[in-house]
Amino acid sequence: MNKQLVIRAASAVCAAAALLAAPAYAQNAALVNGKAIPKSALDNLIKRSGQPDNAELRERGRTMLIERELLIQEATKRGVLNREDVKDQIEQARTNVLVGALFEEYVKSHPPADSVLKAEYDKAMSQMGGKEYHALHILVEKEDDAKAIIAKLNAGGNFEELAKASSKDPGSAPNGGDLDWANPSNFVPEFSAAMTSLQKGQYIQTPVKTQFGFHIIKLDDVRDAKIPTFDQVKGEIAKKIQSDQNYQRTKFQEMVKSLRDKAKIQ
């Protein structure tokens, strides 16, 4: 046979084999000593990371899965899986995963009663009070520095500019000390007492000391509190209750009791 024809035939066979293998390879993130790591495993890893999906993240994830598979293969080769202590730990881990998943399903199917949610709502709303305050503040470490800033304000200084230049509060300083609208209960008692004693447009003449330092407080405005309806916050209240450790402990005990009551135990 002509040598050129042989080369062409071999090339065609290789190309055909590559085409046949392509769909199978596309389903895998990698092959490690012949063991396939499914692409779905990499997809799930990326999803659980919570980071934006991109080529760099996928390559890091692929490397992690490859290294993990290498370790599993080496452990298998060395007979680690046959050790009793390893078997016990694997069984314990399996049990923990199953119990955790079961409890998650139980909590979802047994949400807090509306009466419980309403009681929590009423409690939260009672703490909000009837007014919201829009305040600004400047936070410094030393009382003398606070007094000096008050003197500048009395001389016509601009509160917002002084806050940007001097306040140690990283959250509000860039915004001129603006704390936005809030209920007095959101602040420490000393701060709230001083803030609510002011008239609109006033700032304090004596620095207020709290655990954070010394504050110069200015009251910009006051309004009736905007209280959300029960239906608007019902879902958030349920999540808050369900994430509470005491609630979870109680529900777990409830789940176990329910299973024991229905079981035949000899």
Side-chain angles (χ1 to χ4, degrees), residues 11-27:
S11 297
V13 170
C14 291
L19 288 172
L20 289 172
Y25 180 77
Q27 295 175 6

Side-chain angles (χ1 to χ4, degrees), residues 15-145:
L19 288 172
L20 289 172
Y25 180 77
Q27 295 175 6
N28 297 323
L31 286 171
V32 182
N33 295 325
K35 174 68 181 297
I37 299 178
K39 180 177 176 294
S40 59
L42 178 58
D43 293 339
N44 290 335
L45 183 65
I46 299 298
K47 184 177 179 180
R48 289 196 304 270
S49 75
Q51 301 179 54
D53 191 345
N54 56 56
E56 181 184 355
L57 182 63
R58 283 194 164 267
E59 186 56 34
R60 292 208 310 268
R62 182 174 179 273
T63 298
M64 183 186 301
L65 291 173
I66 289 171
E67 292 175 351
R68 186 173 69 182
E69 179 58 34
L70 286 169
L71 292 170
I72 292 172
Q73 290 183 15
E74 183 64 18
T76 303
K77 185 192 302 182
R78 291 173 178 264
V80 172
L81 290 174
N82 296 324
R83 285 170 38 184
E84 289 302 320
D85 61 325
V86 173
K87 289 181 180 179
D88 289 343
Q89 290 178 58
I90 291 174
E91 183 58 29
Q92 186 61 54
R94 176 178 178 275
T95 300
N96 290 340
V97 170
L98 290 175
V99 170
L102 173 63
F103 181 62
E104 183 180 344
E105 288 296 321
Y106 184 84
V107 170
K108 286 181 179 178
S109 59
H110 296 77
D114 276 2
S115 59
V116 174
L117 299 178
K118 187 62 166 60
E120 188 68 20
Y121 170 81
D122 292 340
K123 178 182 176 182
M125 293 307 104
S126 67
Q127 294 174 350
M128 288 187 66
K131 299 291 183 181
E132 289 181 329
Y133 292 76
H134 185 194
L136 301 87
H137 84 138
I138 301 172
L139 175 65
V140 294
E141 295 179 1
K142 300 178 181 179
E143 185 177 13
D144 288 343
D145 292 339

